[in-house]
């Protein structure tokens, strides 16, 4: 399975264009990326029922929902002084595939897809963090070391997404299927999902300073009602169009996590970072 699953050419251009135009008309104008504080927000959502427990983190019991992370669970050492760290090392991202679900075949992912995804996540973190911290490649005093594991990677089933779209009025049932099946609102059973576990260590001592985990589910029918009409339209269109590529929701999750981590570190360090 390749990273960019092709879309049926008979559907992609006219149908996608029609949807974008309809969405813009419905919400009175399309928005640019500048209207979203953090890229990916709204297009994916946390599914607390699918948070992973891979063993990558030191203590899962102390993780709690955060007020800032839109569903992310975290813990941090109460003695942590984030201002003492002005550099960050992003360790090589590792992948721990979730076991195959009952009734399904073994879960496999093309190695080239894995490299593309981990490279994308690393670059997203670099771009989010470098405005406030120097990104380095060696640990040491004043260096915050980030260790990351992708713990659940499930691509969107593009053929199912196409089928659901081409059946007249099928979107009405699909739009409500997320809540009906216990998933985030706007998702469908064939949407991709991406889990991560993240650890922060002192670059000099190796002491664990904080840990987080999250699992994001793609939302085909998503609207950010708190972002105004333009923001809602952008989120709706972005979620819909991403449902026709296998790994688009994963990239949205990576951008969302990168933005949230950078934003939280800026808050703890008393620094500022541009919105993205």
């Amino acid at each position: 399975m390749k990273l960019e699953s092709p879309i049926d050419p008979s559907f992609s251009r006219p149908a996608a264009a029609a949807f974008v135009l309809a969405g813009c008309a419905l919400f009175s104008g399309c928005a640019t990326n500048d209207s979203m504080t953090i890229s990916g927000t709204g297009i994916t959502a946390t599914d607390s029922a699918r948070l992973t427990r891979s063993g990558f983190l030191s203590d899962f019991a102390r993780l709690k929902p955060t007020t800032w992370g839109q569903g992310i669970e975290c813990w941090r050492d109460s003695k942590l002084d984030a201002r003492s760290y002005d550099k960050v090392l992003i360790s090589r991202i590792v992948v721990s595939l979730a076991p195959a679900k009952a009734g399904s075949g073994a879960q496999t992912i093309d190695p080239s897809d894995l490299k593309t995804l981990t490279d994308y996540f690393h670059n997203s973190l670099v771009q989010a963090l470098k405005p406030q911290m120097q990104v380095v490649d060696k640990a040491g005093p004043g260096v915050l070391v980030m260790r990351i594991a992708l713990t659940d990677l499930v691509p969107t089933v593009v053929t199912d997404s196409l089928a659901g779209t081409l059946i007249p009025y099928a979107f009405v049932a699909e739009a409500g299927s997320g809540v009906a099946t216990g998933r985030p609102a706007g998702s469908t059973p064939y949407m991709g999902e991406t889990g991560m576990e993240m650890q922060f260590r002192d670059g000099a001592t190796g002491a664990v300073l904080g840990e987080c985990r999250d699992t994001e589910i793609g939302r085909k029918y998503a609207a950010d009602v708190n972002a105004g009409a333009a923001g809602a339209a952008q989120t709706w269109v972005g979620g819909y169009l991403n449902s026709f590529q296998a790994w688009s929701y994963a990239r949205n999750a990576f951008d969302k996590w990168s933005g949230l981590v950078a934003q939280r570190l800026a808050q703890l360090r008393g620094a500022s970072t541009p919105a993205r």
Side-chain angles (χ1 to χ4, degrees), residues 32-143:
T32 67
N33 286 338
D34 290 338
S35 70
M36 301 297 287
T37 302
I38 294 175
S39 178
T41 299
I43 296 176
T44 64
T46 294
D47 190 337
S48 57
R50 288 175 169 77
L51 297 178
T52 59
R53 194 183 183 98
S54 73
F56 183 78
L57 303 181
S58 64
D59 188 348
F60 289 85
R62 61 189 178 187
L63 300 177
K64 305 295 180 185
T66 63
T67 58
W68 54 268
Q70 303 181 24
I72 295 176
E73 289 189 353
C74 289
W75 163 87
R76 66 181 171 93
D77 189 332
S78 59
K79 299 186 293 293
L80 169 65
D81 181 3
R83 293 169 297 181
S84 62
Y85 300 92
D86 59 356
K87 296 178 285 293
V88 61
L89 166 63
I90 305 169
S91 298
R92 185 176 181 181
I93 298 170
V94 300
V95 179
S96 174
L97 295 181
K101 296 178 173 60
S104 65
Q107 182 171 326
T108 60
I109 298 178
D110 190 300
S112 63
D113 284 6
L114 286 181
K115 184 179 188 309
T116 302
L117 289 168
T118 54
D119 285 351
Y120 183 96
F121 194 7
H122 183 276
N123 291 335
S124 179
L125 284 165
V126 169
Q127 294 301 314
L129 291 168
K130 69 179 183 180
Q132 61 168 309
M133 304 176 77
Q134 181 184 356
V135 180
V136 299
D137 57 8
K138 292 183 180 179
V143 177

Side-chain angles (χ1 to χ4, degrees), residues 5-6 156-166 190 243-244:
S5 296
T156 295
V157 183
V158 176
T159 53
D160 288 355
S161 187
L162 284 169
T165 300
L166 295 175
Y190 52 76
S243 71
F244 304 110

Side-chain angles (χ1 to χ4, degrees), residues 172-183:
V172 176
E174 282 195 326
S177 65
V179 174
T181 57
R183 288 172 172 260

